[in-house]
Amino acid sequence: MAINSGGGKSAMGLLRGQVAVVTGGGAGIGGGISRRLAEHGATIVVNDIDAQLLATLVADVEAGGGTVIPSPGDIRDPAVVEALADTALGVADGRVDVLVNNVGDYRPNGRFLKTGPEQWEALYALNLEHVLRCTRAIAPAMVEHRSGSIINVSTVEAFRGIPANAVYSAFNAAVNAFTRSLAVELGRDGVRVNAIAPDLMDTPQTPAEAMLRGRDPDLIATWVPLGRFGRPEDCADVVLFLASDLSRFVTGHVIPVDGGTTAASGWYGRADGRGWTNLPDRP
Ligand SMILES: NC(=O)c1ccc[n+]([C@@H]2O[C@H](COP(=O)([O-])OP(=O)(O)OC[C@H]3O[C@@H](n4cnc5c(N)ncnc54)[C@H](O)[C@@H]3O)[C@@H](O)[C@H]2O)c1
């Protein structure tokens, strides 16, 4: 992906001189966020489980004149969280301005009555536990410097019911509640806490072809009010807003980045009784 000319040295940089941490920042929504924050002048410290994706990200950001420090590893591992925090805190004498807790996955999914503790624990580790760990590791530095912005990546599925994903949606609802409560707790310390709730992003986790499942792409317009699937940049721009001083009086909010699907949303039982769909169904 191309980086704006000027990259980290851009005079337009909203985050010039800042240090920003992104988990799962190699590709998908996290990749878009990493690139955007670097374009706006932040030194980005990027975690990813995939060394190849991380290498590509580093090459892209550096080619655009940005500064990136990779911090590889599985964010579910507490030692990886600790290494990420140590790396970030070492960049600018213990100051970290932005933390984006992006990693999350709806898999393993399936009907709740067919799941068990092993699956729930896997979803907890992927969607909530590292959010708590990373925040616990990095927020104290923000409090100490009386400044910081934490942005969690949740999902619209935390607002509406999604069959076969009850546990994923429950943990993301927890991310939203954590966002709001922590915002209240840390407000007087100068730290803001917000979240974005994406839907229907064309990413490696949910590629456009998989979302369409053979349907006519013309149907997207009947499904997403803004008439297209989302792109990582759509999320990245909202995260940039939340990370920067433009949102200085905004805290405790979860902002859908969904092309209007929350406003229009509904899961429908199929007429033939065989499961549900949120898609324009075949006749
Ligand atoms: N794609 C969507 O439509 C959508 C919708 C709602 C919410 N979300 C949320 O957005 C976030 C990002 O989703 P995405 O679609 O970009 O995902 P993705 O799977 O396409 O990309 C995830 C990135 O994180 C990395 N990663 C995965 N597991 C990791 C781990 N354990 N440790 C470190 N890095 C890891 C991957 O290598 C990849 O670079 C997730 O929290 C997801 O739940 C996505």
Side-chain angles (χ1 to χ4, degrees):
M1 184 183 297
I3 302 292
N4 285 351
S5 58
K9 299 178 191 71
S10 166
M12 296 298 288
L14 289 169
L15 303 175
R16 252 186 306 160
Q18 299 200 9
V19 178
V21 175
V22 184
T23 69
I29 293 169
I33 293 169
S34 300
R35 287 169 168 86
R36 186 66 89 244
L37 300 186
E39 284 167 11
H40 277 264
T43 293
I44 54 167
V45 181
V46 182
N47 153 267
D48 207 283
I49 198 171
D50 187 318
Q52 190 52 51
L53 290 175
L54 206 44
T56 304
L57 186 273
V58 169
D60 282 356
V61 170
E62 289 181 345
T67 307
V68 50
I69 301 166
S71 186
D74 183 340
I75 203 66
R76 292 171 296 185
D77 178 350
V80 169
V81 173
E82 202 179 321
L84 175 65
D86 284 352
T87 303
L89 292 167
V91 173
D93 289 334
R95 210 195 71 240
V96 175
D97 303 284
V98 179
L99 166 63
V100 184
N101 290 309
N102 165 70
V103 167
D105 204 309
Y106 66 95
R107 299 160 294 192
N109 64 339
R111 284 171 179 255
F112 179 71
L113 297 187
K114 298 202 166 166
T115 65
E118 208 175 307
Q119 202 163 341
W120 309 336
E121 278 156 24
L123 287 163
Y124 168 63
L126 270 168
N127 292 286
L128 179 60
E129 186 179 21
H130 65 85
V131 176
L132 307 182
R133 285 190 191 281
C134 289
T135 305
R136 181 67 185 84
I138 288 172
M142 295 178 168
V143 169
E144 194 184 329
H145 290 86
R146 302 200 55 74
S147 170
S149 175
I150 298 168
I151 299 136
N152 300 318
V153 180
S154 168
T155 169
V156 294
E157 315 300 2
F159 296 127
R160 66 190 182 202
I162 173 173
N165 285 277
V167 180
Y168 167 75
S169 76
F171 286 132
N172 276 283
V175 169
N176 292 357
F178 176 63
T179 299
R180 287 188 278 265
S181 295
L182 195 67
V184 175
E185 195 170 314
L186 297 186
R188 286 187 201 188
D189 295 304
V191 179
R192 296 183 298 108
V193 190
N194 292 286
I196 62 164
D199 193 16
L200 296 171
M201 294 288 149
D202 184 9
T203 69
Q205 190 176 132
T206 52
E209 316 80 70
M211 294 192 284
L212 280 166
R213 276 168 259 170
R215 288 171 174 78
D216 181 348
D218 283 348
L219 287 173
I220 295 171
T222 69
W223 171 9
V224 184
L226 289 181
R228 63 168 174 83
F229 290 142
R231 306 178 190 113
E233 309 86 86
D234 300 322
C235 289
D237 282 335
V238 180
V239 169
L240 173 65
F241 165 71
L242 292 172
S244 77
D245 202 45
L246 291 176
S247 61
R248 58 196 168 275
F249 204 53
V250 178
T251 196
H253 288 284
V254 183
I255 302 182
V257 187
D258 64 357
T261 59
T262 308
S265 74
W267 278 94
Y268 306 99
R270 289 185 196 274
D272 61 9
R274 298 175 63 188
W276 299 267
T277 181
N278 71 340
L279 310 179
D281 207 1
R282 295 187 186 88

